[in-house]
Amino acid sequence: MTATVVAAARPRSASRARVRRRVLVFAAGGLLVLFVLLTVSLTTGEMPMPAGRALRALVGLGDSGDVLVVQQFRAPRAVAAIVAGAGLGAAGCVLQRLFRNPLASPDVMGVTGGASLGAVALIAAGASQTLIPVGALGGGLLAALLLGVFAWRSGLAVTRLVLTGLAVQAGLAAAVNLMIVRFPAELAGSALQWTTGSVYGRTWTEVWGAAGAMVLALAAALVLHRRLAVLDLGDESAGALGLGTSAARLQLLFVAVALASLAAALAGPVTFVALAVPHLVRLVTGPPTAASLGLAGLTGAVLLLASDLVVQHLLPIEGLPVGAVTATLGAPWLLVLMFRQSSPVPRSHA
């Protein structure tokens, strides 16, 4: 009997070891790619410079012109893309697992619509540019509040949440479009950033504020991971284990919304990243674990920084926001996911 148990345990332990190796390799590769992309972002542009010179300028050494270009223009933009991408990747990972739906993302839940509305409302009011990200954050949290209020009566059931999120997103998007139509022409360009997503013009004050809050939100997501694992068993089983499913789902939803709202406050409503990243991570790690959250954040950072470099250096259209690139990639990805979801399950002929 003991020998049988040991023999059965060996394949499971070997499988876990293979998954751990894949996770470590994926993490190491992601960090390496991120470092390469960050180096490229600091060294390329209208004033190209060698990597060593750019790194010296990053720490305040060397020519004053190099220091100005790297510290005030290139580095904040690159770090903003990394922070926002990490938040979007982690938020998508939590939402898709929470709703057990591969199409769940901050777009579906109305967060991006709320962030756009908050930012555009402050632009219309003539607020300072530094307050606009705060408006985006508040708008995203307001969308989450509306979602919770409208879906509460059903006990925060998954289907009700998704449908309510789609309705909230559509309503907020309509409000944003109405406001932009009534804008003076000189405000239309500024508002465009907050309807498509961009990391252009970010400052260190905005970046460090968002990064600090993002670290706290990611830590909360990791702390709540065990509740997410219990919810994977289904509401009945989770309740039998003593977990308050509605309260746990609400806590996880708030953390995911906070991650997405902070990303939107920094980069605007960037699409596709939160939708695609969890699928890419699952291809490598298999069933989700606590490590999946960290890998999702890393993958999101790589994807958004790479997309921003494409916008800056590979496309002939000057001033194109990064959200336009991610949306272009996201449309066919979404169609593929919808096709896979709607495909009939093959019957067994056993």
Side-chain angles (χ1 to χ4, degrees):
M1 181 70 178
T2 304
T4 304
V5 172
V6 171
R10 284 176 180 170
R12 288 196 295 268
S13 61
S15 177
R16 286 195 295 267
R18 284 195 298 270
V19 170
R20 282 196 295 269
R21 283 196 297 270
R22 286 202 302 267
V23 168
L24 290 174
V25 170
F26 188 79
L31 288 171
L32 178 60
V33 172
L34 187 63
F35 176 77
V36 171
L37 292 175
L38 180 58
T39 303
V40 171
S41 68
L42 296 179
T43 57
T44 55
E46 293 185 3
M47 291 179 55
M49 60 184 73
R53 190 169 128 199
L55 292 176
R56 286 195 301 271
L58 183 62
V59 296
L61 302 177
D63 183 76
S64 59
D66 293 345
V67 172
L68 176 66
V69 169
V70 172
Q71 286 192 351
Q72 301 302 317
F73 297 104
R74 294 180 182 174
R77 179 169 184 167
V79 176
I82 291 172
V83 173
L88 290 171
C93 187
V94 173
L95 287 174
Q96 289 186 13
R97 192 172 172 189
L98 179 62
F99 297 142
R100 297 188 287 275
N101 189 327
L103 300 179
S105 72
D107 306 336
V108 173
M109 309 318 300
V111 177
T112 55
S116 297
L117 181 62
V120 171
L122 287 187
I123 292 174
S128 170
Q129 190 72 21
T130 57
L131 293 178
I132 293 176
V134 178
L137 176 59
L141 296 175
L142 175 62
L145 178 62
L146 291 174
L147 177 64
V149 169
F150 292 153
W152 183 260
R153 290 185 178 180
S154 66
L156 294 179
V158 172
T159 303
R160 181 70 175 270
L161 276 170
V162 172
L163 293 177
T164 305
L166 288 170
V168 170
Q169 175 74 8
L172 293 173
V176 170
N177 291 333
L178 179 62
M179 293 177 67
I180 291 178
V181 167
R182 300 181 63 85
F183 268 0
E186 60 270 16
L187 293 179
S190 180
L192 179 62
Q193 170 187 343
W194 294 101
T195 59
T196 54
S198 174
V199 290
Y200 172 77
R202 296 285 77 89
T203 66
W204 281 120
T205 301
E206 296 168 346
V207 169
W208 291 128
M214 192 76 75
V215 168
L216 294 177
L218 285 170
L222 289 172
V223 169
L224 293 172
H225 174 264
R226 287 186 178 274
R227 300 185 183 185
L228 193 57
V230 176
L231 286 173
D232 285 342
L233 302 175
D235 287 0
E236 291 185 4
S237 298
L241 292 173
L243 180 67
T245 56
S246 292
R249 188 170 285 119
L250 188 61
Q251 291 168 354
L252 288 160
L253 177 62
F254 178 79
V255 169
V257 167
L259 288 166
S261 298
L262 288 167
L266 195 58
V270 177
T271 58
F272 171 65
V273 175
L275 175 67
V277 163
H279 297 275
L280 297 175
V281 171
R282 279 196 296 272
L283 288 175
V284 176
T285 64
T289 63
S292 301
L293 281 174
L295 291 178
L298 176 60
T299 306
V302 169
L303 183 58
L304 189 56
L305 182 56
S307 298
D308 191 50
L309 288 174
V310 169
V311 165
Q312 292 183 70
H313 306 300
L314 296 183
L315 296 181
I317 305 174
E318 185 176 354
L320 187 70
V322 67
V325 173
T326 59
T328 302
L329 295 172
W333 184 276
L334 181 60
L335 289 175
V336 170
L337 288 179
M338 293 179 66
F339 177 77
R340 291 179 61 184
Q341 286 294 104
S342 62
S343 298
V345 180
R347 296 182 179 179
S348 173
H349 297 284

